[in-house]
Amino acid sequence: MLRVKDLESGYGPMQVLWKPSLQTKKGAITSLLGPNGVGKSTFLSTVFGSVKPWGGSIYYEEKDVTYMPTHKKVEMGLALVPEGKHLFPEMNVYENLVMGAYVKKASRHREESLALVYSLFPVLKERSGQLAGSLSGGEQQMVTVGRALMTKPQLIMLDEPSQGLAPLLVQEVFRTIQKMKEEIGLTVLLIEQNADASLSAADFVYIMHEGRIKAKGSPEEIKGSPEIREAYLGI
Amino acid sequence: MIGIQLAGNLTQGLILGGVYGMATMGLSLIFGVLGVVNVGHGAFIMIGAFTTLLLFTQLGLSPIIAIPVALVIGMALGFFFYYTVIIRLTEAPELASLLATFAIGTLLEESVKFTIGTEFRGYNWDVGKISLHITTLPMSKIYAFVGSILIALLLYLWFSKTRAGTAVRAVMQDRKGAGVCGVNVNWIYALSFAIGIGLTVTSGVLLTMFIPVGINPYMGGAYTLKAFVIAVLGGLASPYGAFFGGLIFGLIENGTYTLFALVPSLEPFAMTRFLSFLILLLILLIKPTGLLRAK
Ligand SMILES: Nc1ncnc2c1ncn2[C@@H]1O[C@H](COP(=O)(O)OP(=O)(O)OP(=O)(O)O)[C@@H](O)[C@H]1O
Ligand SMILES: [Mg+2]
């Protein structure tokens, strides 16, 4: 579905990504794990196009999208739940969600997407008239995920969706991710620092360190390798 | 007697304030969306004034017709300067965009000076007047006021009801969030800059309907200053805030004019200008987010 090869990018003169390669399988949860500051978010931003690639290639559904602008990728069914929410604070929950259905393809499915989001997060329906800025952290995260679902994606990329949430809510996030896969049939690319939870959710795992992929395999393989766990995951 | 004079001046102030407000909306829009402070703002007002003057004196066309013409010219200039200059500056440090917009303003002023000259010009568009008990208002000023309100209303409707307007609001509130929704942020930047400049050039038409004299290449400077005061009054990044900021500013300017004129040996016109700066300083000291903004 998504095939990234030897991706390079960075900020100004500083190179962050040193040719990581990664593939997602249709209908599966692929997880990219790694400690702080190794370039996970940069990887997603580069795949999404908000950071320009310096080299390498990105294929989505067998099409070369390496230098495609982000709004076209959204139209093709690629969605990003960015780190740090990025909601529209002066719009209410409903308006935030509807903004997710901005591109033409998504706007045609607006009502059914909205029903889906409300069934996934019933509390958002109750809060629909409230300003996004006034919600709790967990509810804001739901809006962020909901807004991404409103774009009618096939592949959803989540950047540390459980960050800063209470343990109970973290469980809720992972349950939602399972639902995205099983009930909506989405392909998921999940970035996490929470190694335990994402090892049990994922179908396939990549481990990133200093901008490179250092290991990959099924969650069982990663869990079964004490070297990998110790060197990169600290568990 | 003073009461009547004050009421008359306040009426004039309210009308001028509406035009001031409209003349600041473009500045606020551009700052709100792109984070660029357009120091060349007044030069675009000057372009609007000359558009009106030339259409009227050369072709005999009414300033009403100059309104859509100025909007088109302004938007064309906006797109041109966005794609040639501003596009490189949205990520750059503020100083770069200040210098660039200052340079654009100077370029416009010198081009007009070079082709038309530096004399003060004016025109006389007589469409009658109405006499109120407190003051006499030329119809041209009333048209300017109504025009300003209509344009502000149209902008409001565009913002709240259209797809593009909603996208502009989204970019203003969170650029990255808008990108995630599939908004083409670069296009929204270009469009907002073009509309901002279009509004500003159009406001030049309305301002000459109010004051049809003193048209010259360097007339913009005073308006740039006033627009900054008004924009700060209205919360800097909010076009509607700017409109109401303009109304307040017009009232203060004209109201205090009457009062300053009471004091012998004071030059009231110079005092109102001093007062603008005083207001700017006070707001920046007390409530730098703007008087009309809740946040
Ligand atoms: N916008 C930016 N400008 C400059 N440098 C950046 C920017 N964003 C990230 N970096 C740097 O790039 C490196 C990788 O950051 P990145 O955010 O991709 O890491 P991460 O793996 O997502 O970390 P975290 O787990 O903390 O989110 C870091 O050294 C960071 O300081
Ligand atoms: Mg990150």
Side-chain angles (χ1 to χ4, degrees):
Chain A
M1 181 126 202
L2 179 73
R3 204 147 42 83
V4 181
K5 198 157 179 298
D6 296 336
L7 196 61
E8 290 178 281
S9 78
Y11 305 96
M14 182 182 75
Q15 182 157 1
V16 173
L17 296 183
W18 299 85
K19 305 198 173 191
S21 298
L22 174 150
Q23 295 191 23
T24 63
K25 220 176 108 228
K26 214 177 182 104
I29 299 176
T30 307
S31 181
L32 179 62
L33 280 174
N36 255 329
V38 297
K40 303 183 301 293
S41 297
T42 307
F43 182 83
L44 279 201
S45 301
T46 312
V47 168
F48 193 60
S50 39
V51 171
K52 285 270 163 304
W54 296 0
S57 64
I58 305 163
Y59 280 80
Y60 175 70
E61 299 275 42
E62 307 305 322
K63 264 184 77 176
D64 186 349
V65 299
T66 313
Y67 297 101
M68 184 183 269
T70 54
H71 61 277
K72 296 220 169 106
K73 286 181 181 157
V74 173
E75 188 94 46
M76 283 181 74
L78 195 68
L80 174 68
V81 176
E83 195 172 23
K85 303 193 181 86
H86 294 284
L87 293 177
F88 309 117
E90 288 161 42
M91 295 188 192
N92 65 29
V93 169
Y94 172 80
E95 291 167 317
N96 266 277
L97 292 175
V98 165
M99 259 320 284
Y102 176 79
V103 300
K104 289 213 174 59
K105 199 192 75 186
S107 69
R108 281 198 293 273
H109 301 277
R110 194 172 107 175
E111 294 313 313
E112 63 186 77
S113 302
L114 200 59
L116 175 79
V117 171
Y118 283 154
S119 75
L120 217 49
F121 307 113
V123 64
L124 294 190
K125 192 164 187 176
E126 292 162 32
R127 298 265 188 275
S128 63
Q130 233 168 290
L131 288 188
S134 72
L135 300 181
S136 73
E139 288 165 348
Q140 288 191 1
Q141 190 59 274
M142 291 178 203
V143 181
T144 321
V145 173
R147 188 180 63 181
L149 291 175
M150 293 294 293
T151 66
K152 196 86 178 117
Q154 266 122 46
L155 172 64
I156 185 164
M157 309 193 288
L158 300 127
D159 195 342
E160 302 199 34
S162 67
Q163 197 182 35
L165 297 184
L168 223 70
L169 286 173
V170 172
Q171 278 183 25
E172 193 56 44
V173 166
F174 278 92
R175 226 172 290 141
T176 308
I177 293 171
Q178 285 293 351
K179 277 193 198 163
M180 285 183 194
K181 170 187 152 182
E182 279 154 21
E183 291 170 25
I184 314 175
L186 293 183
T187 307
V188 179
L189 176 55
L190 172 67
I191 285 195
E192 266 300 336
Q193 283 190 47
N194 187 337
D196 269 335
S198 50
L199 276 174
S200 45
D203 299 298
F204 200 82
V205 180
Y206 288 84
I207 290 175
M208 182 175 264
H209 198 72
E210 290 172 348
R212 296 174 172 86
I213 298 294
K214 290 291 187 176
K216 60 180 177 182
S218 68
E220 292 72 33
E221 284 167 334
I222 302 288
K223 279 189 228 162
S225 158
E227 301 85 50
I228 296 180
R229 279 175 26 206
E230 251 170 59
Y232 304 116
L233 302 178
I235 51 173
Chain B
M1 190 59 213
I2 278 300
I4 290 183
Q5 203 178 342
L6 185 62
N9 272 358
L10 285 177
T11 311
Q12 301 262 355
L14 185 73
I15 292 180
L16 181 60
V19 181
Y20 277 165
M22 197 264 147
T24 310
M25 291 173 90
L27 184 80
S28 294
L29 177 66
I30 290 171
F31 178 73
V33 177
L34 293 95
V36 166
V37 176
N38 179 15
V39 190
H41 183 73
F44 289 101
I45 292 180
M46 177 271 297
I47 296 290
F50 270 98
T51 305
T52 322
L53 178 77
L54 294 179
L55 286 180
F56 189 82
T57 55
Q58 306 298 309
L59 302 174
L61 292 174
S62 124
I64 306 266
I65 299 191
I67 291 176
V69 175
L71 187 65
V72 170
I73 292 177
M75 285 191 69
L77 283 173
F79 278 119
F80 175 76
F81 284 120
Y82 179 78
Y83 284 110
T84 49
V85 181
I86 307 296
I87 193 168
R88 293 159 223 275
L89 301 173
T90 51
E91 309 281 335
E94 266 128 47
L95 185 61
S97 62
L98 287 179
L99 287 173
T101 52
F102 182 74
I104 290 174
T106 309
L107 178 79
L108 291 175
E109 287 170 355
E110 297 308 312
S111 310
V112 172
K113 174 187 163 192
F114 188 71
T115 47
I116 304 177
T118 53
E119 310 88 70
F120 281 60
R121 289 157 197 271
Y123 66 95
N124 186 8
W125 182 46
D126 192 355
V127 277
K129 48 176 156 266
I130 52 173
S131 294
L132 302 175
H133 174 56
I134 46 174
T135 187
T136 304
L137 285 171
M139 283 308 287
S140 56
K141 289 189 180 182
I142 298 196
Y143 289 152
F145 184 60
V146 172
S148 298
I149 289 179
L150 281 181
I151 291 169
L153 247 159
L154 278 178
L155 187 74
Y156 175 77
L157 287 176
W158 183 78
F159 258 121
S160 49
K161 302 281 180 235
T162 67
R163 183 169 181 264
T166 310
V168 172
R169 278 191 294 135
V171 172
M172 275 173 127
Q173 292 178 32
D174 197 304
R175 176 159 62 121
K176 187 154 189 191
V180 166
C181 295
V183 173
N184 183 348
V185 175
N186 268 323
W187 164 245
I188 293 298
Y189 276 4
L191 187 66
S192 304
F193 194 76
I195 291 178
I197 298 295
L199 286 170
T200 306
V201 174
T202 306
S203 75
V205 178
L206 299 167
L207 277 163
T208 65
M209 284 161 81
F210 198 92
I211 311 167
V213 293
I215 300 171
N216 78 95
Y218 303 114
M219 65 185 278
Y223 291 118
T224 306
L225 278 178
K226 286 180 188 177
F228 282 162
V229 178
I230 293 166
V232 170
L233 257 171
L236 217 56
S238 156
Y240 322 125
F243 188 77
F244 292 110
L247 287 177
I248 293 174
F249 187 81
L251 286 172
I252 294 177
E253 201 183 56
N254 276 261
T256 52
Y257 187 94
T258 323
L259 300 178
F260 284 135
L262 292 176
V263 184
S265 84
L266 264 190
E267 213 279 275
F269 187 68
M271 283 309 288
T272 58
R273 216 175 258 193
F274 163 75
L275 191 76
S276 323
F277 279 107
L278 198 64
I279 295 173
L280 181 64
L281 268 175
L282 285 179
I283 297 172
L284 288 177
L285 279 174
I286 298 165
K287 198 157 178 292
T289 49
L291 283 188
L292 301 168
R293 208 85 194 273
K295 271 199 313 174

Short mmCIF file of all heavy atoms in Angstrom, two decimals, chain A residues 45 48 71 74 80 82 86-91 99-100 102-104 147 151, chain B residues 163 166-167 169-170 173-174 176-184 188 293 295:
data_model
loop_
_atom_site.label_atom_id
_atom_site.label_comp_id
_atom_site.label_asym_id
_atom_site.label_seq_id
_atom_site.Cartn_x
_atom_site.Cartn_y
_atom_site.Cartn_z
N SER A 45 6.00 13.20 8.52
CA SER A 45 5.83 14.48 7.84
C SER A 45 6.39 14.42 6.43
O SER A 45 5.85 15.05 5.51
CB SER A 45 6.54 15.60 8.60
OG SER A 45 6.03 15.69 9.90
N PHE A 48 4.03 12.45 4.31
CA PHE A 48 2.82 13.24 4.07
C PHE A 48 3.11 14.42 3.14
O PHE A 48 2.23 14.89 2.43
CB PHE A 48 2.27 13.74 5.40
CG PHE A 48 0.88 14.30 5.32
CD1 PHE A 48 -0.17 13.52 4.89
CD2 PHE A 48 0.63 15.60 5.68
CE1 PHE A 48 -1.46 14.03 4.82
CE2 PHE A 48 -0.65 16.13 5.61
CZ PHE A 48 -1.70 15.33 5.18
N HIS A 71 -2.07 18.22 -0.25
CA HIS A 71 -3.52 18.21 -0.47
C HIS A 71 -3.93 17.16 -1.50
O HIS A 71 -5.02 16.62 -1.45
CB HIS A 71 -4.04 19.60 -0.85
CG HIS A 71 -3.47 20.15 -2.12
ND1 HIS A 71 -2.26 20.79 -2.18
CD2 HIS A 71 -3.95 20.14 -3.37
CE1 HIS A 71 -2.04 21.16 -3.43
NE2 HIS A 71 -3.05 20.78 -4.17
N VAL A 74 -4.01 13.82 0.36
CA VAL A 74 -5.24 13.67 1.14
C VAL A 74 -6.37 13.21 0.22
O VAL A 74 -7.15 12.32 0.54
CB VAL A 74 -5.62 15.00 1.84
CG1 VAL A 74 -6.98 14.90 2.51
CG2 VAL A 74 -4.56 15.36 2.87
N LEU A 80 -3.27 11.98 8.00
CA LEU A 80 -2.29 12.11 9.07
C LEU A 80 -2.96 12.64 10.32
O LEU A 80 -3.71 13.62 10.28
CB LEU A 80 -1.17 13.08 8.63
CG LEU A 80 -0.13 13.44 9.69
CD1 LEU A 80 0.73 12.25 10.05
CD2 LEU A 80 0.75 14.60 9.21
N PRO A 82 -1.60 14.40 13.27
CA PRO A 82 -0.29 14.93 13.60
C PRO A 82 -0.03 14.94 15.11
O PRO A 82 -0.96 14.92 15.91
CB PRO A 82 -0.33 16.35 13.05
CG PRO A 82 -1.76 16.73 13.10
CD PRO A 82 -2.55 15.45 12.89
N HIS A 86 -3.26 20.09 16.64
CA HIS A 86 -3.51 21.04 15.55
C HIS A 86 -4.98 21.16 15.18
O HIS A 86 -5.36 21.12 14.01
CB HIS A 86 -2.68 20.68 14.32
CG HIS A 86 -1.21 20.85 14.57
ND1 HIS A 86 -0.59 22.06 14.61
CD2 HIS A 86 -0.26 19.93 14.84
CE1 HIS A 86 0.69 21.90 14.87
NE2 HIS A 86 0.92 20.62 15.02
N LEU A 87 -5.83 21.31 16.18
CA LEU A 87 -7.25 21.57 15.92
C LEU A 87 -7.44 23.06 15.64
O LEU A 87 -6.54 23.86 15.81
CB LEU A 87 -8.08 21.17 17.14
CG LEU A 87 -8.11 19.67 17.45
CD1 LEU A 87 -8.90 19.41 18.72
CD2 LEU A 87 -8.73 18.92 16.28
N PHE A 88 -8.66 23.40 15.21
CA PHE A 88 -9.00 24.81 14.98
C PHE A 88 -9.71 25.32 16.23
O PHE A 88 -10.89 25.04 16.44
CB PHE A 88 -9.88 24.95 13.75
CG PHE A 88 -9.30 24.25 12.56
CD1 PHE A 88 -9.95 23.19 11.96
CD2 PHE A 88 -8.07 24.64 12.04
CE1 PHE A 88 -9.40 22.53 10.89
CE2 PHE A 88 -7.50 23.99 10.98
CZ PHE A 88 -8.17 22.93 10.39
N PRO A 89 -9.01 26.05 17.09
CA PRO A 89 -9.53 26.34 18.43
C PRO A 89 -10.79 27.19 18.43
O PRO A 89 -11.59 27.09 19.36
CB PRO A 89 -8.37 27.06 19.12
CG PRO A 89 -7.50 27.56 18.01
CD PRO A 89 -7.68 26.61 16.88
N GLU A 90 -10.99 28.03 17.41
CA GLU A 90 -12.15 28.91 17.40
C GLU A 90 -13.32 28.33 16.61
O GLU A 90 -14.30 29.01 16.35
CB GLU A 90 -11.77 30.30 16.88
CG GLU A 90 -10.93 31.06 17.88
CD GLU A 90 -10.18 32.21 17.24
OE1 GLU A 90 -10.77 32.92 16.42
OE2 GLU A 90 -8.99 32.38 17.57
N MET A 91 -13.19 27.07 16.20
CA MET A 91 -14.33 26.40 15.57
C MET A 91 -14.84 25.38 16.58
O MET A 91 -14.09 24.86 17.39
CB MET A 91 -13.90 25.69 14.30
CG MET A 91 -13.41 26.60 13.20
SD MET A 91 -13.17 25.65 11.68
CE MET A 91 -12.27 26.82 10.67
N MET A 99 -14.37 20.23 8.62
CA MET A 99 -13.17 20.65 7.90
C MET A 99 -12.40 19.44 7.36
O MET A 99 -11.75 19.51 6.33
CB MET A 99 -12.23 21.44 8.83
CG MET A 99 -12.23 22.95 8.71
SD MET A 99 -12.34 23.62 7.06
CE MET A 99 -10.68 23.38 6.44
N GLY A 100 -12.50 18.31 8.08
CA GLY A 100 -11.84 17.08 7.62
C GLY A 100 -12.40 16.62 6.28
O GLY A 100 -11.70 15.95 5.51
N TYR A 102 -12.95 18.34 3.74
CA TYR A 102 -12.73 19.49 2.86
C TYR A 102 -12.49 19.09 1.40
O TYR A 102 -13.04 19.69 0.50
CB TYR A 102 -11.55 20.31 3.38
CG TYR A 102 -11.15 21.47 2.52
CD1 TYR A 102 -11.87 22.67 2.55
CD2 TYR A 102 -10.07 21.38 1.64
CE1 TYR A 102 -11.51 23.73 1.75
CE2 TYR A 102 -9.71 22.44 0.83
CZ TYR A 102 -10.44 23.61 0.89
OH TYR A 102 -10.08 24.67 0.10
N VAL A 103 -11.66 18.08 1.19
CA VAL A 103 -11.36 17.72 -0.21
C VAL A 103 -12.61 17.12 -0.87
O VAL A 103 -13.48 16.56 -0.20
CB VAL A 103 -10.15 16.75 -0.34
CG1 VAL A 103 -8.90 17.38 0.24
CG2 VAL A 103 -10.44 15.42 0.30
N LYS A 104 -12.66 17.24 -2.21
CA LYS A 104 -13.90 16.92 -2.93
C LYS A 104 -14.40 15.51 -2.65
O LYS A 104 -15.56 15.30 -2.35
CB LYS A 104 -13.68 17.10 -4.43
CG LYS A 104 -13.55 18.56 -4.80
CD LYS A 104 -14.10 18.87 -6.18
CE LYS A 104 -14.08 20.36 -6.44
NZ LYS A 104 -12.67 20.91 -6.35
N ARG A 147 -11.34 13.92 12.80
CA ARG A 147 -11.13 14.80 11.65
C ARG A 147 -10.35 14.08 10.56
O ARG A 147 -10.65 14.22 9.37
CB ARG A 147 -10.37 16.05 12.11
CG ARG A 147 -10.25 17.12 11.07
CD ARG A 147 -9.50 18.31 11.58
NE ARG A 147 -8.12 18.00 11.93
CZ ARG A 147 -7.25 18.87 12.44
NH1 ARG A 147 -7.64 20.11 12.66
NH2 ARG A 147 -6.03 18.51 12.73
N THR A 151 -11.60 12.63 6.34
CA THR A 151 -11.00 12.78 5.00
C THR A 151 -11.23 11.53 4.16
O THR A 151 -10.77 11.47 3.02
CB THR A 151 -9.49 13.05 5.07
OG1 THR A 151 -8.82 11.89 5.60
CG2 THR A 151 -9.16 14.25 5.96
N ARG B 163 -16.57 27.77 0.82
CA ARG B 163 -15.56 26.75 1.07
C ARG B 163 -14.19 27.40 1.21
O ARG B 163 -13.44 27.12 2.14
CB ARG B 163 -15.59 25.75 -0.09
CG ARG B 163 -14.64 24.60 0.05
CD ARG B 163 -14.97 23.54 -1.03
NE ARG B 163 -14.10 22.40 -0.92
CZ ARG B 163 -13.01 22.25 -1.63
NH1 ARG B 163 -12.65 23.16 -2.49
NH2 ARG B 163 -12.25 21.17 -1.48
N THR B 166 -13.91 29.40 4.44
CA THR B 166 -13.72 28.52 5.59
C THR B 166 -12.28 28.03 5.66
O THR B 166 -11.67 27.95 6.73
CB THR B 166 -14.67 27.32 5.49
OG1 THR B 166 -15.98 27.81 5.24
CG2 THR B 166 -14.68 26.52 6.77
N ALA B 167 -11.72 27.72 4.49
CA ALA B 167 -10.33 27.26 4.46
C ALA B 167 -9.40 28.37 4.95
O ALA B 167 -8.42 28.09 5.66
CB ALA B 167 -9.95 26.83 3.04
N ARG B 169 -10.13 30.67 7.16
CA ARG B 169 -10.25 30.69 8.62
C ARG B 169 -9.46 29.55 9.24
O ARG B 169 -8.80 29.72 10.26
CB ARG B 169 -11.72 30.59 9.03
CG ARG B 169 -12.45 31.91 8.97
CD ARG B 169 -13.81 31.81 9.62
NE ARG B 169 -14.69 30.91 8.88
CZ ARG B 169 -15.45 29.98 9.44
NH1 ARG B 169 -15.45 29.81 10.74
NH2 ARG B 169 -16.22 29.22 8.69
N ALA B 170 -9.54 28.38 8.61
CA ALA B 170 -8.81 27.23 9.15
C ALA B 170 -7.30 27.49 9.15
O ALA B 170 -6.62 27.24 10.13
CB ALA B 170 -9.13 25.97 8.34
N GLN B 173 -6.28 29.73 11.91
CA GLN B 173 -6.31 29.15 13.26
C GLN B 173 -5.25 28.09 13.46
O GLN B 173 -4.71 27.95 14.55
CB GLN B 173 -7.69 28.58 13.55
CG GLN B 173 -8.73 29.66 13.67
CD GLN B 173 -10.12 29.11 13.90
OE1 GLN B 173 -10.31 28.08 14.53
NE2 GLN B 173 -11.12 29.80 13.39
N ASP B 174 -4.96 27.30 12.45
CA ASP B 174 -3.89 26.31 12.55
C ASP B 174 -3.49 25.83 11.16
O ASP B 174 -4.17 25.04 10.53
CB ASP B 174 -4.32 25.11 13.40
CG ASP B 174 -3.13 24.29 13.86
OD1 ASP B 174 -2.34 23.83 13.00
OD2 ASP B 174 -2.96 24.11 15.07
N LYS B 176 -1.02 23.92 10.12
CA LYS B 176 -0.74 22.51 9.95
C LYS B 176 -2.04 21.70 9.95
O LYS B 176 -2.21 20.77 9.16
CB LYS B 176 0.19 22.02 11.06
CG LYS B 176 0.66 20.62 10.86
CD LYS B 176 1.99 20.33 11.52
CE LYS B 176 2.47 18.96 11.06
NZ LYS B 176 3.61 18.48 11.85
N GLY B 177 -2.96 22.08 10.85
CA GLY B 177 -4.25 21.41 10.90
C GLY B 177 -4.98 21.53 9.56
O GLY B 177 -5.58 20.57 9.07
N ALA B 178 -4.89 22.70 8.94
CA ALA B 178 -5.54 22.89 7.64
C ALA B 178 -4.89 21.98 6.59
O ALA B 178 -5.58 21.38 5.76
CB ALA B 178 -5.45 24.35 7.21
N GLY B 179 -3.57 21.86 6.65
CA GLY B 179 -2.85 20.98 5.71
C GLY B 179 -3.31 19.55 5.84
O GLY B 179 -3.50 18.85 4.84
N VAL B 180 -3.52 19.11 7.09
CA VAL B 180 -3.97 17.74 7.34
C VAL B 180 -5.34 17.49 6.73
O VAL B 180 -5.67 16.38 6.33
CB VAL B 180 -3.97 17.49 8.87
CG1 VAL B 180 -4.73 16.24 9.21
CG2 VAL B 180 -2.55 17.43 9.39
N CYS B 181 -6.17 18.54 6.65
CA CYS B 181 -7.50 18.40 6.06
C CYS B 181 -7.47 18.44 4.53
O CYS B 181 -8.51 18.35 3.89
CB CYS B 181 -8.41 19.51 6.57
SG CYS B 181 -8.73 19.41 8.32
N GLY B 182 -6.30 18.63 3.96
CA GLY B 182 -6.21 18.67 2.51
C GLY B 182 -6.39 20.06 1.93
O GLY B 182 -6.64 20.21 0.73
N VAL B 183 -6.25 21.09 2.76
CA VAL B 183 -6.29 22.45 2.23
C VAL B 183 -4.94 22.74 1.56
O VAL B 183 -3.89 22.44 2.12
CB VAL B 183 -6.53 23.47 3.38
CG1 VAL B 183 -6.41 24.89 2.87
CG2 VAL B 183 -7.87 23.23 4.02
N ASN B 184 -5.01 23.30 0.37
CA ASN B 184 -3.79 23.69 -0.33
C ASN B 184 -3.33 25.03 0.26
O ASN B 184 -3.74 26.10 -0.16
CB ASN B 184 -4.08 23.82 -1.82
CG ASN B 184 -2.84 24.16 -2.62
OD1 ASN B 184 -1.81 24.51 -2.06
ND2 ASN B 184 -2.95 24.05 -3.92
N ILE B 188 -4.14 29.11 -0.52
CA ILE B 188 -4.87 29.97 0.43
C ILE B 188 -4.04 31.21 0.75
O ILE B 188 -4.57 32.31 0.87
CB ILE B 188 -5.23 29.18 1.71
CG1 ILE B 188 -6.24 28.08 1.39
CG2 ILE B 188 -5.78 30.10 2.80
CD1 ILE B 188 -7.58 28.58 0.86
N ARG B 293 -10.51 42.01 20.97
CA ARG B 293 -10.33 40.57 20.92
C ARG B 293 -10.45 40.01 22.32
O ARG B 293 -9.82 40.50 23.24
CB ARG B 293 -8.93 40.26 20.35
CG ARG B 293 -8.84 38.94 19.64
CD ARG B 293 -9.28 39.07 18.22
NE ARG B 293 -9.52 37.79 17.60
CZ ARG B 293 -8.57 37.09 17.00
NH1 ARG B 293 -7.35 37.51 16.98
NH2 ARG B 293 -8.87 35.96 16.42
N LYS B 295 -9.49 37.06 23.45
CA LYS B 295 -8.35 36.27 23.91
C LYS B 295 -7.22 37.11 24.48
O LYS B 295 -6.68 37.96 23.82
CB LYS B 295 -7.79 35.44 22.75
CG LYS B 295 -8.46 34.11 22.64
CD LYS B 295 -7.63 33.14 21.82
CE LYS B 295 -7.12 33.75 20.53
NZ LYS B 295 -6.23 32.93 19.78
#
